[in-house]
Amino acid sequence: METYTELKELVDNPNYQDQRRKTLSGLTDDMIDEPILEIINGFNKLTYCFTLQCCYGHFVYEGQKNPQNVEPLPIRDGMAKVEYRIAYIAMCIENSAPGRAFFKVLKKIPTINPENVQFCCAEWFWEKQVNSYVLQVEPDRFKREDTATIDYNEALNAEKIRNKFFKRIENCLKR
């Protein structure tokens, strides 16, 4: 699944509030990875933004085959490859003054590590929901994919960046 396309500008969407209400009415806490539950609920309390999908970012490796694993990577010698399942938040932003201000804040999040963090669009989201955007943590060479097989040291780095990424988002929501 392609997760990355170039960033688009906000457009008018007179159906935003109805779309927000409909999307959020079908969302339950058990659909969200526990480590980011408060962050996603924070997004959805904003009147000018709501989430469409999200993932904490999971690591699957020899001895850990759970595709929903949220445990930190173990410190282990000899681990060669890790399947990294992209950390992301897909959201819809209202084209309003607070929505445009929030859009500007979100555009700065990739500065924490531009080689591994992107703010972008995904065409398949946009086709269903205009003004949909994705914040994601994925090594740049894999930014168009939703999984990547990477070596263990790069996985450790991705984990560190993912944690910093979610902390930055959490801080943005507190403002």
Side-chain angles (χ1 to χ4, degrees), residues 25-38:
S25 71
L27 182 65
T28 59
D29 286 355
D30 63 333
M31 301 166 86
I32 302 167
D33 292 331
E34 195 280 326
I36 58 172
L37 179 60
E38 287 185 36

Side-chain angles (χ1 to χ4, degrees), residues 29-97:
D29 286 355
D30 63 333
M31 301 166 86
I32 302 167
D33 292 331
E34 195 280 326
I36 58 172
L37 179 60
E38 287 185 36
I39 291 170
I40 300 307
N41 285 334
F43 266 95
N44 293 329
K45 287 177 184 171
L46 303 173
T47 59
Y48 48 86
C49 183
F50 64 92
T51 58
L52 301 166
Q53 283 186 7
C54 61
C55 183
Y56 179 59
H58 307 285
F59 297 96
V60 180
Y61 49 88
E62 187 177 328
Q64 175 48 269
K65 300 297 183 192
N66 177 1
Q68 301 299 313
N69 173 41
V70 296
E71 297 300 317
L73 281 165
I75 304 301
R76 182 187 304 172
D77 288 334
M79 189 183 306
K81 298 289 180 184
V82 175
E83 180 183 319
Y84 170 60
R85 297 176 179 212
I86 188 172
Y88 72 95
I89 300 175
M91 73 208 77
C92 179
I93 302 172
E94 183 181 38
N95 188 7
S96 62

